[in-house]
Amino acid sequence: MAEREPAGWPWLRDRLVRLRSVNRPGSPPAVPAAVVRTAVVTDSAAALPREWVDALADGRLSVIPMPVMVGEEIYGEGEDDIAERIAVALASGQAVKTSRPSPGQFEQAYRAALERGFEAVVSIHISGELSGTADSARLAAGRVGVPVEVVDSRTVGMAQGMGVQSAVEAAAIGLSAAEVRSSAEDRLAHTKVYFYVPSLEQLRRGGRIGAAASLLGTMFAIKPLLGVEDGRIIPLEKVRSAAKAVARLEELVAADVGKRAAGKARLAVHHFGNAGEAEQLALRLSASLDGVAPVQISSLPAVLAAHAGLGVLAVIVGEGSDADDA
C-alpha cells in the first residue's frame, strides 16, 4: 500500500514554488531559468521527498540510487517493493547489505548536466565514514569536462537532504558553484541526527558499530540512543526500556531546538516499519515545541533502513534557510 504524503512536506513544496514563481504585482522579478548554471547531484541516502525531487524537472537536481542487496538480489532506491523486501529479510534474519554507487553512475549524471547546459556541478553525499559514495563521485569527477565540487556531508538522511535543498536553492538564483557549495555546507553545519534502534545487531553486521557494543546491548537489554558526529555513528545514552528511550529522544531534541534562534528549527522524523510510532512522535514534538514548522515524516531510505533495522526512530534537527522566511 502506498504511503500517504506526510503532513510536513508542504513547506518544502512552498519553498520550491517560491523559487519557481512568476512575476506578480508588487513582488520582485523572478530569476530567469537561463541564469541557473550549476547542477546539484546527490545520492538516495539524502531521504529527499520524491515529489520535491520530481518537481525539479529541469535537470538541476539528480539523485543517484544506492544499491541494496537482499540475499543474492540487488535493488535500487525507488523500486516499488524494496522496502517490503528489506523488512521481510530483516525480520527473518536474511542477509541485507549495501554498496556504493559506481563511478560510472556519477559520470553519467555529470555528463547529463553538461549536455543540459550546466557549467558546473556540486555533488553532495552521505558521510564518507559510512560509505565510499563520495569516493566514487570523486573518481567520476576527474573523467568529465565539467567542474565538479564533491561535498562529503558528514551526515545522513534529511540532515544531508537539508544541505542538498540549500544547494538547489542557491543554484536556482544563479549563484556560482563555490557559493552553492558554501550554502550547502553552512546548512549541513547546523544539522543534528538523533536516533533510537531497538537492536544494535544490524548496525554491527554492517560494520557501523563494534561487536562489543552490540553484545553489550544484547546482554543487558540496553536501548541505545545514537547520533551522528563528524560523520560517524556515536552512542549518546544507554536507556533500559524502549519507552524511556523514546522519551529521552524527545528530550534531547527539545534541548537542541531550545538552543537555536526562535522559529528557526526544522525537524524531520524517519522510521522503518513503524509509521504509527513516528506519527505519534511527530505530533508530540509539534505540540511541545513552540515556533517549529510542521514536522516532516518519512520512511528511511532503503540504504539506511538496511543498517538501522526495523523499529528505528530518527529525528533530524536543522535550521531553515533564508528562503523559508521569504
Side-chain angles (χ1 to χ4, degrees):
M1 187 172 83
E3 187 176 1
R4 67 176 176 80
E5 178 184 303
W9 292 137
W11 73 269
L12 289 174
R13 280 204 310 273
D14 290 345
R15 287 166 56 189
L16 184 59
V17 168
R18 285 196 290 270
L19 290 173
R20 303 178 67 191
S21 63
V22 296
N23 291 350
R24 296 186 180 95
S27 65
V31 177
V35 172
V36 182
R37 292 300 182 200
T38 302
V40 178
V41 174
T42 190
D43 54 70
S44 55
L48 292 164
R50 183 178 297 180
E51 68 275 10
W52 195 84
V53 175
D54 289 346
L56 295 167
D58 59 0
R60 84 178 68 160
L61 174 65
S62 297
V63 180
I64 306 300
M66 297 185 67
V68 177
M69 291 161 282
V70 181
E72 299 299 319
E73 299 293 326
I74 300 177
Y75 300 90
E77 191 73 48
E79 295 186 24
D80 290 340
D81 58 353
I82 186 172
E84 182 178 350
R85 287 180 180 272
I86 291 174
V88 171
L90 292 174
S92 62
Q94 188 178 2
V96 180
K97 300 179 181 179
T98 63
S99 181
R100 63 184 180 180
S102 69
Q105 289 174 274
F106 288 107
E107 184 176 349
Q108 184 177 7
Y110 301 156
R111 291 190 186 282
L114 180 61
E115 291 170 1
R116 292 188 181 104
F118 292 97
E119 299 170 347
V121 176
V122 174
S123 204
I124 304 167
H125 301 293
I126 180 175
S127 170
E129 299 291 341
L130 303 176
S131 170
T133 299
D135 290 335
S136 286
R138 292 186 186 99
L139 285 172
R143 302 175 182 173
V144 296
V146 59
V148 180
E149 299 260 1
V150 177
V151 178
D152 179 347
S153 73
R154 311 296 290 173
T155 191
V156 294
M158 267 303 295
Q160 174 187 342
M162 289 178 183
V164 173
Q165 288 171 342
S166 281
V168 170
E169 292 167 5
I173 59 173
L175 298 185
S176 69
E179 291 169 318
V180 170
R181 175 174 185 154
S182 178
S183 178
E185 289 177 334
D186 181 67
R187 191 84 173 275
L188 290 166
H190 293 89
T191 63
K192 288 288 187 180
V193 179
Y194 305 92
F195 67 106
Y196 155 72
V197 290
S199 170
L200 290 169
E201 179 60 18
Q202 196 60 26
L203 285 168
R204 182 197 66 78
R205 288 184 181 181
R208 269 58 185 182
I209 61 166
S214 176
L215 180 62
L216 182 67
T218 302
M219 289 177 60
F220 297 100
I222 289 172
K223 302 300 181 183
L225 292 175
L226 306 169
V228 176
E229 189 72 37
D230 196 26
R232 296 183 175 91
I233 294 175
I234 61 167
L236 296 176
E237 296 185 9
K238 301 170 185 177
V239 187
R240 288 289 187 177
S241 72
K244 289 180 180 179
V246 175
R248 183 60 183 145
L249 177 64
E250 294 177 44
E251 291 174 355
L252 291 173
V253 170
D256 186 323
V257 171
K259 297 174 184 176
R260 299 172 187 258
K264 199 67 174 176
R266 296 290 182 268
L267 305 183
V269 171
H270 293 316
H271 61 85
F272 187 62
N274 53 337
E277 285 184 90
E279 290 178 358
Q280 290 301 311
L281 173 59
L283 285 172
R284 291 194 300 271
L285 290 171
S286 293
S288 62
L289 301 174
D290 294 331
V292 173
V295 179
Q296 308 162 35
I297 310 169
S298 67
S299 180
L300 272 182
V303 68
L304 302 184
H307 291 293
L310 291 165
V312 59
L313 285 173
V315 182
I316 313 300
V317 184
E319 294 187 2
S321 67
D322 293 339
D324 297 329
D325 302 322

